[in-house]
Amino acid sequence: MEASSGEILAANRAAEDFWGYDAADLRGRPLSDLVDADSVEAFLGAAREGRNFAANSVTIRQISGASHVVTCAARAVHGAWALAFREPGRIGPAHELRRLNYALNAYARSSAALMQTGETRSVMEQVCRAIVGQEVYVLACVALPAADGAPWLDYAAAAGPATGYLDGLRISASAELAEGQGATGMTLRSGAPHLIRDTRKDASYALWRERGARYGVRSMVSVPITVAGATVGALLVYAARPNAFGPTELNLFWRLCQAIGLALTMEQDRRRLGQAEEARRLAEARASAANAQWQRVSRLSFIGEFAAALAHEISQPLGAIEINAQAGLRWLHRPAPDLGEAGAALERIGRDAKRAHEIVARTRAMYRGETAAAPFDLREAVEDVLVITRERCANDRIALEVALEDVGLVLGDRIQAQQVVFNLIANAADALGDVSGRPRHLKVTIRRQGDKALACVEDDGPGVAAEAAERLFDRFFTTKPQGLGLGLPLSRRIIEAQGGRLWFEPVKPQGARFLFTLPLA
Amino acid sequence: MTRPTVALIDDDAAIREAVSSLLRSVDLDVLAFPSVAAFLEDKAALDADCLLLDIRLPGQSGLDFQTELQARGLRAPVIFITGHADVPMTVRAMKAGAFGLIEKPFRDQDLLDAVHAALQNDRQRREAERLMKALQDRFATLTERERQLMPLVASGLLNKQIATRLGVSEITVKVHRANLMRKMGAKTLADLIRMSDRLTPYTQG
């Protein structure tokens, strides 16, 4: 101690335990930080006069804010002053206390690592058990504000022979309630430790005196637990003897409370992380919902594309109906009405109207909910399509070769699968339209392949250029002047939606082959 | 007189039948084809008086087809039927020599008017071609000397002047000239002048 300024030059381990500051932290501090002003004044006066100093009731203030009355003796050592502080009237033999100190110290040091990983509650319980391992302490507990907002504190952890003391114990943090006027209440509000040195004498313990007497509680201390500077709870330690808490013990409890605070901070961090994780999961769920939305939209646009194609298709029979009606009237209005021709026109009107209806029915099928996968006979479905396409092939002088194996039932949407087959045949016929001077061949086959049905539409037309082959299934890619570039991408989507695959293979020396699979039912 | 024939090319059978019926109801003969390829293979169709075709024919677009027709020397007027004509397409079709463009859906009268106009045009073209052919045939019967004489007579030279120019007697010119007028079927000098004018591209050749 440097006398002129009252600044601390050095401090030993005992001083660290006494005040709770590290030795390094104590160095350079004014004595007035640690000891009451009157005592500082008295000491400095004595020092200036070069005489030794001794006082029986010096009040020290700990890092935790707790105060203790101790004795102090100061003497000059090599131009500085050595001050020795001693606790007066300690209970119990010195070696017992030392053992306690060691045990708690060891615990405090080792627990830091433990608290980083352990559950807060189990950390609290371990702390409490460690404290009551000393028989002078009959109860140690951690009190936290009730999660449900009730005025009474919860006891998150407790240990010791007097645990029954807590049954029905009402302590509050509120200044408004009588139960908030005890040591614990004050600690929770002030953030500083509070001591009840003797439960029989301390007025602030009056409310619990009877209970204390039942469990043999003679002194107690409440030490604040803080998280990020805020007091969130208190460690309560009850002793069987009065005045059982010296500055050293209080400092140990203070450190333990910091460890508990750290554990709580960790837990909050983990919870925050958990919330972040939850937020991430939520975002993912939202993204997947967006994906579903996208799929719905793409399905809608698919339906839109299909509707456009069907609208084009339906305009054909409607146009034919209109022209037939006009032609029919002209046959009737001739000088000699030709009833035969007029009748034929009417028949065509009926037939074309039926075709228009079929297209409308197909459109409806496209609009109904999800893809309706049901077992159907693929051979029969393809044969139906061939009925429609045979005429086109005959008109275009295309030699149609059909080899339909009985593959049994496949799983999928019959109408959509037919649309794909129709599309592939129409494509092949279009490609063959460019062929002149040699026969044109179109081959439609289906066969079984493992657990799938394999359908194949092959032509010996000009085939597909390598660079075009790569883009065949891109939307709006087309090599046809009148093409929309939708047929193949739509067909692929239809087949894939039904658990199949659709792909292209070039044919040597010329031609194109489109294949698709559908799962067997 | 034989009934005019319209060649119809459309890939949709229903449309083909309906339009065929409509054309037949006004006493036109119709040859209908589902594709350009089918049309080109039919010798009779190549003589049709009018072509009616969908501009979006599969395999080969109608416009490409028109180019091919011209390459083959087919001069029948072409009317395109289109689902949705836009200006560039119309311009292209007209530039390529299309006689008309009809947009679907069309009124029957519009189609028939267009077809009749095309047939009328075709008749006139054929008549002009027939006359020119007759003229050329008559010109082909002329002797070397008569062919030499024709532009000189048509340019209004007197026999005497022609005789001097050709280095023959005036009598010889007179005989050749009479033969020329007779063979060409020209009654007056004015007739011959007109014929000469028409034949100019061929005579100069």
Side-chain angles (χ1 to χ4, degrees), chain A residues 268-279 281:
Chain A
Q268 282 185 0
D269 285 353
R270 275 197 300 275
R271 206 176 302 134
R272 255 199 303 279
L273 275 177
Q275 279 164 357
E277 173 72 11
E278 183 61 25
R281 262 202 304 273

Side-chain angles (χ1 to χ4, degrees), chain A residues 74 131 189 229 246 250 255 298 301 354 439 441:
Chain A
I131 292 169
R189 290 195 297 277
L250 223 149
R255 264 185 243 160
S298 80
S301 81
K354 198 166 161 236
H441 296 101

Side-chain angles (χ1 to χ4, degrees), chain A residues 312-313 315-317 319-324 326-328 330-331 334 341 345 348 351-352 355 391-392 395-397 430 433-437 440 481-484, chain B residues 3 10-22 24-27 34-35 37-38 41 54 56-61 64 84 104-109 112:
Chain A
H312 176 77
E313 224 174 292
S315 72
Q316 296 291 95
I321 287 169
E322 196 177 359
I323 301 164
N324 275 317
Q326 293 161 349
R330 285 185 181 272
W331 287 116
R334 280 160 73 99
E341 285 282 7
R348 286 193 300 271
R351 182 201 61 189
D352 295 342
R355 179 176 150 204
E391 190 203 345
R392 159 97 194 261
N395 285 338
D396 287 5
R397 291 162 176 72
D430 284 356
D434 292 339
V435 172
S436 54
R440 305 156 172 181
Q482 76 279 21
L484 293 172
Chain B
R3 299 181 354 156
D10 197 305
D11 62 329
D12 189 284
I15 296 281
R16 242 175 9 245
E17 288 172 0
V19 174
S20 295
S21 174
L22 180 64
R24 282 187 292 105
S25 73
V26 292
D27 293 321
S35 69
E41 281 169 25
D54 194 316
R56 287 173 164 264
L57 283 175
Q60 187 176 30
S61 88
D64 293 342
H84 27 76
K104 275 196 284 195
F106 50 79
R107 287 197 321 120
D108 56 345
Q109 196 56 56
L112 296 178

